[in-house]
Amino acid sequence: MNLVFVSNYFNHHQQPVSRKLYELCGQPGGSYFFVQTERMEEERVAMGWGSALKNADYVRNYWENPESCQRLIDEADAVIFGGTDEESYIQTRLKEKKPLWRYSERLYKEGRYRFITPRGLRKKFLDHTRHNRERVYLLCSGAYVAGDFRMVAAYPHKKLRYGYFPEHIRCDADRMIAEKYTDDGADQTIELLWAARMIDWKHPERALAITEALLKDGIPVHLTMAGGGPLESSVREQIAQKKLTDHVTLAGFQEPRAVRGLMRKSHVYLAVSDRKEGWGAVLNEAMDSACLVVADKAMGAAPFLIRDGENGILYPTGRINAALKALRILLREPGYEKMRRMQRAAYETIDRVWNAETAAERLYACIEAELRGEKLPEYEEGPLSRV
């Protein structure tokens, strides 16, 4: 199979799936390429996102050789396309009715009321709905994607669960969890972690509010905040105002591997972004690090990855009091036995189902079946299951 993945840029969230697809396509006569359509922003480069390009010989830059890259896209057996609003890259494929696998986050991050605009409706029809009967499939990178596309009557019976798949680090889960705790669990300071850019829809203030509330309840916690951005000065002011200086550490921007190191040491990860978080790969990473993830239901990844009360805490949009209620019960339990079970279940969710290897193998199998004119494989849960 000759397969091409087209997206805005190549990063550590795309690398594990690409590595596996490259392996799967590497049979005699097959090939795999990842075509970047734009340069990565300097802010993300500074955060270490560009390090994924090391040992990725299959990556091609469209701006360096547009004719060659466009030929790869046009002539491939199948193309995976997403992460960019520029439709010109795939127009030839659509006209020639060649297989296309779109991946998309939700259409209406600002709210579905935008659905009613005539201009928006026309664009969605041209880009999506008119191709319903063609060989175009939708990989839904988030729990709300399918609902958004249903509103424009696009891809009926061709919507599949997908997402972002950071590196899965296989290890002894019980040992990893045990290392987070003191021997008897007594007088344990619970380590909370929030890692993101400090911007409005990532809501760093919610992490501070949760920390403050738990401390007022007499529960010993410490919050590490990894990241920086426009709201950093406001966060510093809030820490001072709330008298949290001794309980909050501002770690600044950290490279991806360093963030994973912080996760390994943390008990609880606070995923408190709002609906603008189309996916939220930090959920995968935190669960893979055996953190108890406390996640806002509005985040795209949360309803796909988290089963409330089993492998994490999933709270109604913006209602951190509901999250606090569940957290208080877990953090007051001697020995934290239930929290430990939930942390293990979180790790197992990634280890067994929501990982890059599973996603790539299933995606490859689906594309291969479509190329042969066969029915797509059926999966009960996880990546490439129907939604």
Side-chain angles (χ1 to χ4, degrees):
M1 181 195 302
N2 296 314
L3 180 62
V4 175
F5 198 131
V6 183
S7 192
N8 54 348
Y9 46 66
F10 186 73
N11 59 54
H12 60 293
H13 297 154
Q14 304 281 21
Q15 184 183 43
V17 164
S18 282
R19 188 188 301 127
K20 185 63 179 180
L21 288 173
Y22 178 74
E23 174 189 321
L24 293 168
C25 292
Q27 303 168 23
S31 66
Y32 174 80
F33 292 99
F34 189 106
V35 175
Q36 298 188 109
T37 61
E38 60 188 72
R39 291 178 172 85
M40 187 179 292
E41 304 98 318
E42 288 301 321
E43 182 183 27
R44 294 189 188 276
V45 172
M47 292 165 63
W49 282 37
S51 61
L53 285 168
K54 296 178 181 177
N55 302 316
D57 295 337
Y58 46 80
V59 175
R60 299 292 183 269
N61 300 328
Y62 195 96
W63 62 88
E64 290 180 351
N65 199 334
E67 291 183 2
S68 174
C69 288
Q70 191 60 57
R71 189 161 51 250
L72 286 173
I73 296 168
D74 294 343
E75 296 178 0
D77 294 322
V79 165
I80 306 163
F81 177 79
T84 174
D85 294 327
E86 179 52 63
E87 294 284 310
S88 63
Y89 302 110
I90 55 172
Q91 288 309 300
T92 297
R93 293 195 68 83
L94 291 171
K95 287 177 183 177
E96 296 179 357
K97 302 188 186 307
K98 292 182 176 180
L100 180 69
W101 296 73
R102 288 183 179 270
Y103 81 91
S104 177
E105 295 182 5
R106 66 181 310 169
L107 294 174
Y108 302 111
K109 291 183 180 180
E110 300 288 346
R112 286 178 175 167
Y113 65 89
R114 293 178 180 267
F115 164 71
I116 61 175
T117 64
R119 183 177 179 182
L121 278 174
R122 175 170 172 74
K123 179 166 175 56
K124 299 303 179 293
F125 173 80
L126 293 174
D127 292 350
H128 304 288
T129 314
R130 66 171 172 158
H131 302 296
N132 281 349
R133 295 182 180 275
E134 296 164 13
R135 301 170 72 183
V136 185
Y137 301 81
L138 181 66
L139 304 174
C140 300
S141 294
Y144 305 102
V145 177
D148 283 1
F149 277 91
R150 286 191 192 101
M151 294 185 71
V152 294
Y155 311 115
H157 314 300
K158 294 192 292 183
K159 294 186 280 289
L160 305 166
R161 286 181 177 84
Y162 199 63
Y164 295 91
F165 302 92
E167 182 181 5
H168 169 41
I169 303 173
R170 285 194 165 89
C171 62
D172 183 332
D174 292 328
R175 180 177 178 180
M176 177 167 55
I177 293 167
E179 289 175 351
K180 294 175 184 281
Y181 296 88
T182 56
D183 291 338
D184 58 4
D187 299 321
Q188 176 87 50
T189 295
I190 296 299
E191 292 292 336
L192 312 177
L193 178 64
W194 178 95
R197 288 176 293 154
M198 291 186 176
I199 54 179
D200 57 356
W201 52 271
K202 300 280 188 178
H203 294 290
E205 78 285 352
R206 291 179 180 175
L208 293 176
I210 289 171
T211 302
E212 181 184 31
L214 292 174
L215 288 168
K216 285 182 177 178
D217 289 342
I219 299 172
V221 296
H222 172 267
L223 171 66
T224 298
M225 304 184 80
L231 295 183
E232 185 171 355
S233 60
S234 173
V235 167
R236 291 183 182 278
E237 290 175 6
Q238 290 179 61
I239 291 171
Q241 291 170 0
K242 295 175 182 292
K243 296 181 172 56
L244 294 175
T245 305
D246 294 336
H247 305 284
V248 178
T249 297
L250 296 180
F253 278 126
Q254 299 286 318
E255 291 195 355
R257 286 195 176 277
V259 173
R260 293 296 286 267
L262 291 172
M263 289 175 172
R264 289 287 291 259
K265 297 175 183 177
S266 300
H267 301 91
V268 178
Y269 186 86
L270 303 177
V272 291
S273 300
D274 61 33
R275 63 184 297 134
K276 293 181 183 178
E277 189 76 81
W279 179 258
V282 288
L283 270 73
N284 308 58
E285 294 171 323
M287 294 172 75
D288 192 37
S289 304
C291 290
L292 172 72
V293 174
V294 179
D296 193 301
K297 191 176 181 179
M299 297 178 68
F304 276 3
L305 299 183
I306 296 178
R307 302 182 303 276
D308 185 40
E310 294 181 32
N311 66 351
I313 295 172
L314 191 63
Y315 66 89
T317 303
R319 293 175 55 186
I320 62 171
N321 284 338
L324 280 165
K325 182 178 179 181
L327 262 178
R328 288 183 182 110
I329 294 172
L330 293 174
L331 299 185
R332 284 172 171 156
E333 180 187 30
Y336 309 107
E337 288 305 315
K338 184 174 182 180
M339 184 160 72
R340 293 180 194 230
R341 290 197 299 272
M342 291 172 70
Q343 288 171 322
R344 196 181 206 295
Y347 173 82
E348 290 175 349
T349 298
I350 304 300
D351 185 56
R352 294 177 179 177
V353 183
W354 281 99
N355 58 71
E357 186 169 332
T358 299
E361 289 175 347
R362 290 182 178 185
L363 181 54
Y364 185 87
C366 286
I367 295 173
E368 200 171 40
E370 200 280 337
L371 290 173
R372 291 196 301 259
E374 298 173 358
K375 183 180 178 182
L376 301 189
E378 295 281 350
Y379 303 106
E380 292 184 4
E381 62 173 339
L384 280 299
S385 60
R386 293 187 183 273
V387 61

